[in-house]
């Protein structure tokens, strides 16, 4: 089950339509991953510095790395503050990364703010999507790893230890979600109360309610 694509603010959508791009972006995560449309947007504002012919419109990892390497040099030259987390997340098709990048570019290139935007911690995982699903439809641990670690990340960083750390972080996130589910619906998971919990429950059930008015005052 694929997560639903986040919606962009209307101001950003109107801005994209006014640029008259060569391709109409329908899936932001996929269409902006190679950096070609990002370069085309920048060419509208910096025609002398960014030329579309220097970028490759392909989906291969080599095309993505080449395009984003050029874009990184351009950002540094023009002193445009673009977070590396947004670039890496967009390159690897992480959920919400391309949308956040487009909103930052809109603010930088047009000098306009976005009223609908809410500042939140950078977290390009499907956690927010998963917690909105019913318990039976949520991903298993293995599916969560496949959904949040892209093949391009493994190809770029083949280190087993680093990928193991990423997988451990995803498993920890999945475990926390499962623990939250067990607390919210213990009957579904057949969670039996401990002896201490049963004792406290029995104490409250057998102890009569005390009337505060009958307590003698010192």
């Amino acid at each position: 089950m694929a997560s639903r694509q986040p919606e962009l603010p209307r101001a950003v959508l109107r801005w994209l339509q006014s640029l008259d791009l060569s391709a109409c972006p329908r899936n932001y995560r996929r269409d902006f991953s190679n950096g070609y449309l990002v370069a085309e947007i920048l060419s509208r504002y910096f025609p002398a510095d960014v030329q579309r012919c220097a970028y490759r419109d392909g989906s291969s990892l080599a095309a993505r790395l080449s395009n984003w390497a050029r874009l990184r040099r351009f950002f540094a030259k023009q002193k445009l503050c673009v977070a590396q987390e947004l670039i890496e997340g967009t390159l690897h098709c992480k959920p919400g990364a391309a949308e956040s990048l487009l909103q930052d570019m809109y603010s930088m290139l047009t000098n306009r703010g976005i009223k609908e935007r809410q500042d939140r911690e950078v977290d390009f995982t499907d956690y927010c999507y998963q917690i909105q699903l019913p318990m039976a439809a949520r991903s298993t641990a293995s599916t969560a790893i496949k959904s949040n670690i892209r093949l391009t990340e493994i190809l770029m960083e083949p280190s087993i230890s680093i990928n193991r750390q990423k997988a451990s972080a995803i498993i920890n996130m999945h475990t926390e979600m499962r623990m939250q589910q067990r607390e919210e619906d213990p009957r579904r998971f057949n969670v039996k109360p401990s002896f201490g919990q049963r004792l406290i429950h029995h104490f409250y059930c057998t102890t009569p309610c005390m009337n505060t008015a009958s307590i003698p005052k010192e």
Side-chain angles (χ1 to χ4, degrees):
M1 184 180 294
S3 59
R4 188 173 59 180
Q5 176 173 283
E7 296 182 359
L8 285 174
R10 289 187 176 182
V12 181
L13 289 174
R14 290 195 297 266
W15 172 65
L16 287 175
Q17 294 174 355
S18 66
L19 296 175
D20 193 19
L21 301 176
S22 59
C24 179
R26 300 181 181 277
N27 188 313
Y28 311 121
R29 190 187 310 180
R30 178 196 62 205
D31 296 340
F32 286 91
S33 61
N34 62 0
Y36 182 80
L37 288 180
V38 176
E40 188 173 354
I41 292 174
L42 293 173
S43 66
R44 299 290 194 273
Y45 293 87
F46 305 93
D49 299 320
V50 180
Q51 299 177 354
R52 271 195 317 174
C53 59
Y55 295 84
R56 298 166 57 185
D57 188 9
S59 59
S60 65
L61 180 59
R64 296 186 192 183
L65 294 177
S66 176
N67 290 344
W68 282 110
R70 289 178 176 273
L71 290 172
R72 281 192 177 98
R73 292 194 295 269
F74 171 78
F75 291 144
K77 180 181 178 181
Q78 298 294 333
K79 297 181 179 180
L80 297 176
C81 297
V82 179
Q84 293 300 316
E85 292 85 356
L86 294 181
I87 295 177
E88 294 292 334
T90 305
L91 191 155
H92 297 302
C93 300
K94 292 300 185 71
E99 291 80 6
S100 298
L101 178 65
L102 287 173
Q103 294 180 60
D104 280 0
M105 291 181 60
Y106 169 81
S107 299
M108 287 187 298
L109 298 176
T110 63
N111 294 324
R112 300 174 184 172
I114 302 175
K115 297 181 180 179
E116 299 90 341
R117 183 169 185 175
Q118 297 180 355
D119 295 331
R120 61 183 180 87
E121 186 179 356
V122 177
D123 178 22
F124 301 133
T125 63
D126 63 347
Y127 176 79
C128 295
Y129 172 70
Q130 290 294 326
I131 60 177
Q132 297 175 3
L133 297 175
M135 293 183 182
R138 295 179 182 179
S139 300
T140 60
S142 59
T143 305
I145 294 175
K146 294 177 182 178
S147 301
N148 292 286
I149 298 182
R150 305 297 181 183
L151 178 60
T152 53
E153 292 183 83
I154 300 175
L155 294 176
M156 285 183 59
E157 186 57 68
S159 174
I160 297 177
S161 61
I162 294 179
N163 290 319
R164 186 178 298 167
Q165 292 175 3
K166 294 180 181 179
S168 298
I170 295 172
I171 292 175
N172 292 336
M173 179 185 69
H174 179 77
T175 303
E176 292 177 1
M177 186 185 302
R178 297 292 290 181
M179 292 299 295
Q180 182 180 358
Q181 294 175 12
R182 293 170 69 91
E183 294 177 358
E184 293 175 354
D185 191 4
R187 293 184 178 180
R188 182 178 184 273
F189 294 91
N190 196 22
V191 178
K192 297 181 180 180
S194 63
F195 176 76
Q197 291 173 339
R198 294 199 303 269
L199 183 62
I200 294 174
H201 179 71
H202 177 72
F203 173 77
Y204 280 111
C205 291
T206 56
T207 303
C209 296
M210 297 182 61
N211 188 2
T212 58
S214 62
I215 299 177
K217 298 181 180 180
E218 295 182 359

